[in-house]
Amino acid sequence: MSGEVLLSASGLTKEFKGFLAVDGVNIEVRRGTVHALIGPNGAGKTTCFNLLTKFLAPSRGTITYNGIDITHRKPADIARMGLIRSFQISAVFSHMTVLENVRIALQRKQPGAFSFWTSQSKLSVLDAEAERLVEAVGLSEFIGIPAGELSYGRKRALEIATTLALDPELMLLDEPMAGMAANDVERITELIRRVARDRTVLMVEHNLSVVATLCDVITVLARGKVLAEGDYATVSSDPRVLEAYIGAAHV
């Protein structure tokens, strides 16, 4: 693993009326890596992800980002610190064009932030950066198309562009391949690989072939606890992981 620890959790626990959905999880996400959280259904992946991104408050434990304790921070606070979860701005405006969607995301960094009464002349100064982001996610030929007319995979690419517009240091993706056809999976996998060249990515993903080819570090959860961690070769050959995934022969 390369890079210093960017995001870490220690003893992270979430209890729902006596049920431990996440039970004492320790995790370190290092700068410059693509790190995946995987596990069978009910493993606690989504709950853990929601804790790390502050959409849930932990029952116990601490979360640190860039050396700062963010355990009790709000999602908007950590977003301003550079920790951006894709769905925070991933719901595209269907009636707006691809360019307009990205441009609205770019407004977040401007004085006054989101103002739907901003003049066209002030918005147009963001066009060059919006066009660069649209090109980066492979949507240049669709730049003037309403987002609602895009295929599902291309909508996900647009969501990544709007997330990149917030200039994340750590980008968190919640099942980015969910519901995609094979050709879209290939396209988004390559997009994430390009995006990760100059930033850190933490993702929850069910598609294990994607995890195998894309991720540097994999943390496997089962019953709310860390079962194994390492690269794909390490975790996929771990007997405990194989047992947890019985019925999923492709693990």
Side-chain angles (χ1 to χ4, degrees):
M1 291 185 291
S2 62
E4 64 185 301
V5 175
L6 183 59
L7 175 70
S8 67
S10 177
L12 195 60
T13 301
K14 184 62 179 179
E15 186 173 356
F16 294 101
K17 296 182 179 179
F19 171 69
L20 283 174
V22 173
D23 186 5
V25 165
N26 299 321
I27 188 171
E28 293 184 342
V29 178
R30 293 183 177 270
R31 191 182 304 277
T33 61
V34 180
H35 194 130
L37 279 175
I38 71 169
N41 290 336
K45 302 182 300 295
T46 298
T47 302
C48 187
F49 205 66
N50 285 335
L51 292 169
L52 292 171
T53 54
K54 308 309 302 145
F55 284 83
L56 279 176
S59 303
R60 291 181 294 281
T62 58
I63 305 168
T64 302
Y65 175 65
N66 255 333
I68 299 170
D69 188 335
I70 62 168
T71 309
H72 303 293
R73 299 287 185 101
K74 296 179 179 178
D77 294 334
I78 64 170
R80 283 189 286 269
M81 295 168 69
L83 192 157
I84 308 292
R85 182 172 179 169
S86 58
F87 79 66
Q88 287 178 249
I89 196 161
S90 66
V92 299
F93 295 99
S94 296
H95 64 290
M96 291 185 172
T97 67
V98 167
L99 177 70
E100 289 167 341
N101 269 273
V102 178
R103 195 170 61 188
I104 281 183
L106 287 168
Q107 281 183 256
R108 179 63 183 86
K109 297 188 294 184
Q110 303 301 307
F114 289 109
S115 172
F116 289 95
W117 305 110
T118 303
S119 69
Q120 183 63 37
S121 61
K122 288 184 178 180
L123 286 176
S124 62
V125 302
L126 301 174
D127 282 354
E129 177 65 7
E131 289 169 4
R132 185 188 70 79
L133 288 166
V134 169
E135 181 180 8
V137 299
L139 292 177
S140 291
E141 64 181 291
F142 305 99
I143 197 166
I145 301 297
E149 296 180 14
L150 297 176
S151 68
Y152 180 72
R154 291 193 171 100
K155 283 179 183 175
R156 297 306 295 264
L158 176 56
E159 292 165 3
I160 290 175
T162 58
T163 303
L164 291 173
L166 297 181
D167 196 22
E169 181 177 25
L170 172 57
M171 186 162 68
L172 301 109
L173 304 174
D174 191 0
E175 297 190 34
M177 311 299 171
M180 284 191 186
N183 60 331
D184 283 331
V185 168
E186 292 177 7
R187 183 184 300 117
I188 299 303
T189 298
E190 181 54 35
L191 171 56
I192 294 172
R193 183 176 286 112
R194 293 201 309 271
V195 164
R197 287 172 186 162
D198 56 2
R199 56 180 44 83
T200 306
V201 176
L202 174 64
M203 59 193 291
V204 170
E205 182 53 55
H206 280 293
N207 189 321
L208 297 180
S209 63
V210 169
V211 171
T213 60
L214 186 61
C215 298
D216 304 299
V217 184
I218 300 161
T219 299
V220 184
L221 297 181
R223 303 182 188 90
K225 296 183 178 182
V226 174
L227 187 64
E229 188 171 89
D231 60 18
Y232 187 78
T234 299
V235 300
S236 64
S237 61
D238 190 311
R240 298 168 300 170
V241 175
L242 296 173
E243 181 180 358
Y245 271 99
I246 285 175
H250 55 291
V251 174

